[in-house]
Amino acid sequence: MVGNAGTLTGLLRGLLATLAMLAALLAVLPVQAAALAGDWRKAVPGEDPEGVRHADSGFAPFDTTRLTSFPRNPDGVWVRLRPVSGAWPEAGEVLVVRGPDFERVTFFPSSDRPYSRSLHDLDPTAEPAGHGRLHFALDPPPADGEALLLRFEPQPVLAAGVTFAIVPRADYLREEARWLAVASACFAIMLAMALVAAFSSLVLRDVSFLYYAGYVLSYAAIQALQCGYAFHPLGFASIAAAPWNWGRILTGLSVLLATLFLDRFASLGRFVPRLRKAVLALGWATFLVAASGYLPGEWPLRITRALINPLLMAGSLVLLFASLRAFLHGGLYAGVFLLGWTPLLLLVLLGSAQTFGVLSDVLWIEDGTMVAGASEALILSLGLAARSQAVRRDRDQARRLAELDPLTAVLNRRAWTEHMQVLLEKQRTIGGPLALLFLDLDHFKSLNDNFGHQAGDGALRVLVRLLRQELPGDSLIGRYGGEEFVIALPRASWQTLMAIAERVRIALEACRVRVDATGAVLTVSIGLAISRSGESIAELVERADRALYQAKSEGRNRVVVAG
């Protein structure tokens, strides 16, 4: 795991540098914006826009440079804007409304018909809405001292915090193009990481990767809906009519999948079993509250609006606390979770707090969550890659241990037969003989009876050590029974086979391993066979076994060739 950690550290440095550049590119352009004064009031049915534009009372002032959430009203909200200097800029300026999310805004020019816009409009004849912002051309600009008039139409969602600015059209278009480039890069990263995780889930049969892929896709979809990317340039017409319905369920789903992923990825049940229950409870509660908004009637929707943001805030804190505690208790992947998700969860927490009027002068949080989403997708994908390597390594080690004889560390009978089948097929393809040695220790029972099984185990290990010394590197050694061993040698001639067998026999006898009190020493009998055309493994082993039996019958401690 040390190697994985070093690789992960190096990659993270490069990724964080890349994401820092993306965040810098996403920074607001230093454009000269005209200072605006704003006021608002609730709309009532049957009002004349021009009368509203010139009304002297009933409006409450607000700061156009700070995030302002207008209250829900069945007939909408009027907003008036005036230049602080009293004089409007020259032609070529645009009014920019930042952060409207799903709200529809109607603009009432004094010399033309009103028109409305939202981030989810798909009218091919209209100029596309901006990404995360709406714009209205001031061409011609209003008369000096006259107010711009807007109406925020009622929507079945919590009102988003918005700001207003008058900027040159050329600067607006440059900012828009740069935003689109960065957003496309972020969404591409999230989509790619989700697809890799989904594929890994199928290959490794690990549902953690599937939870992660589902979370990343649902989070990316939420971002694409809120900023309008799903409609321009993607043009998803099927969800344009009511994007808030999709956003609501995607929010609940993303939180639920995030908690399920953290549970398995960071092993919460192992490191923080009590906190695990709180994490899962909050995940399911958020999902159920979001889904309850689809029930008939007004009350379920009101409950959803009232509880969804507090649950998001509470869930962010609990996820961070649980992963921190798991990391402090030794959970390595909980640390990876902290590294990847802390910036994102903090931004989600701050964004939820902004709906209650907190941090209303911080305007970059919504765009920052998009960059943070790409960042956590990359970092957690690296963590998943390290985890998959560890899983594969553990599986390979378990497979190797399952194949090896625990006493002698050579292949057991089942594994030797499987490897032998592969070797036999290979020899049939490339041609050449495949030789087999069948060994059996002489008087092994006497050794165990006289000196104990520990001495017998030692004798088996001595034989294996001698085999490794005398046999070529491509030999296939297996323990076939108690004191029986089989060795396959590719491309070995009779002369080579006999020479190897004799060296093993003589070397074991020279070790002078006593089998009883009379001074008799441990020896080995060996039967040899070379494969014939079309012969199976069982047939080859049987011929070598008959040669071994003949060696035993003729007095032991000898080598006999089959046939």
Side-chain angles (χ1 to χ4, degrees), residues 22-83:
L22 288 176
L25 287 172
L26 197 58
V28 178
L29 284 169
V31 298
Q32 295 296 323
L36 292 174
D39 53 18
W40 72 274
R41 72 167 173 82
K42 294 181 179 181
V44 296
E47 289 185 291
D48 175 42
E50 290 305 312
V52 174
R53 190 193 306 272
H54 298 97
D56 295 327
S57 61
F59 281 79
F62 71 95
D63 189 343
T64 61
T65 63
R66 296 170 63 89
L67 291 170
T68 302
S69 298
F70 301 113
R72 285 178 50 81
N73 183 50
D75 298 297
V77 171
W78 292 107
V79 173
R80 297 188 306 191
L81 303 170
R82 292 184 175 87

Side-chain angles (χ1 to χ4, degrees), residues 105-419:
V105 181
T106 301
F107 179 49
F108 293 85
S110 57
S111 59
D112 202 352
R113 292 181 301 173
Y115 61 95
S116 65
R117 277 189 177 159
S118 71
L119 294 180
H120 52 276
D121 281 338
L122 285 175
D123 185 357
T125 64
E127 186 176 1
H131 296 92
R133 56 192 71 83
L134 300 176
H135 70 284
F136 301 93
L138 303 183
D139 194 10
D144 289 346
E146 187 175 78
L148 290 178
L149 183 63
L150 305 170
R151 186 170 68 193
F152 283 71
E153 308 295 343
Q155 298 293 332
V157 291
L158 289 172
V162 294
T163 64
F164 303 86
I166 302 292
V167 300
R169 179 178 177 81
D171 289 341
Y172 168 77
L173 292 177
R174 281 198 298 270
E175 181 187 357
E176 179 69 8
R178 189 166 61 176
W179 188 98
L180 185 61
V182 175
S184 297
C186 291
F187 287 127
I189 289 171
M190 287 187 270
L191 178 60
M193 296 302 100
L195 292 177
V196 170
F199 178 76
S200 300
S201 177
L202 295 176
V203 173
L204 298 175
R205 298 180 181 178
D206 188 343
V207 73
S208 303
F209 292 82
L210 198 58
Y211 289 149
Y212 169 75
Y215 161 74
V216 171
L217 288 177
S218 58
Y219 179 78
I222 294 169
Q223 290 289 311
L225 287 174
Q226 287 183 333
C227 69
Y229 193 92
F231 314 106
H232 306 285
L234 298 183
F236 288 158
S238 60
I239 60 177
W244 48 83
N245 286 334
W246 292 88
R248 187 182 303 127
I249 193 62
L250 285 170
T251 298
L253 184 63
S254 66
V255 173
L256 175 59
L257 291 172
T259 57
L260 294 174
F261 168 70
L262 175 62
D263 176 35
R264 292 184 62 90
F265 179 68
S267 303
L268 296 186
R270 173 186 174 188
F271 295 107
V272 284
R274 293 183 180 178
L275 276 175
R276 174 181 181 266
K277 296 179 180 179
V279 168
L280 294 178
L282 270 170
W284 280 106
T286 305
F287 175 74
L288 292 175
V289 167
S292 67
Y294 296 91
L295 296 175
E298 179 65 21
W299 278 105
L301 191 57
R302 290 184 180 180
I303 293 174
T304 299
R305 294 194 195 111
L307 295 182
I308 192 67
N309 275 307
L311 282 173
L312 286 174
M313 296 172 66
S316 300
L317 293 174
V318 171
L319 284 173
L320 285 174
F321 183 66
S323 55
L324 177 61
R325 287 293 302 273
F327 175 67
L328 294 177
H329 282 77
L332 173 64
Y333 297 113
V336 177
F337 177 88
L338 279 173
L339 182 63
W341 283 34
T342 297
L344 176 62
L345 291 180
L346 287 177
L347 288 174
V348 170
L349 178 64
L350 294 176
S352 298
Q354 284 186 324
T355 61
F356 300 101
V358 180
L359 301 174
S360 58
D361 56 343
V362 182
L363 307 181
W364 51 264
I365 290 178
E366 186 170 348
D367 286 342
T369 56
M370 181 174 58
V371 176
S375 171
E376 63 87 21
L378 285 168
I379 293 172
L380 286 182
S381 293
L382 290 174
L384 284 169
R387 186 173 184 269
S388 66
Q389 285 183 343
V391 169
R392 285 195 298 268
R393 186 172 58 248
D394 292 342
R395 288 180 180 177
D396 291 343
Q397 183 177 3
R399 188 180 298 112
R400 285 194 299 271
L401 292 175
E403 290 183 342
L404 297 181
D405 171 56
L407 177 62
T408 61
V410 298
L411 294 173
N412 56 37
R413 181 169 179 171
R414 177 192 57 79
W416 182 86
T417 302
E418 292 175 355
H419 285 266

Side-chain angles (χ1 to χ4, degrees), residues 459-520:
L460 294 175
R461 286 191 287 265
V462 168
L463 175 61
V464 169
R465 176 172 56 81
L466 295 176
L467 290 174
R468 295 191 187 280
Q469 291 175 356
E470 301 295 340
L471 293 171
D474 58 352
S475 302
L476 192 65
I477 309 174
R479 186 178 179 187
Y480 209 69
E483 67 273 19
E484 295 178 334
F485 291 83
V486 284
I487 300 101
L489 292 91
R491 302 176 303 278
S493 64
W494 283 115
Q495 292 81 0
T496 301
L497 197 60
M498 284 292 297
I500 292 174
E502 281 295 333
R503 288 201 303 270
V504 171
R505 185 189 64 79
I506 294 171
L508 181 62
E509 187 176 15
C511 289
R512 311 299 296 175
V513 177
R514 291 189 306 142
V515 297
D516 57 30
T518 65

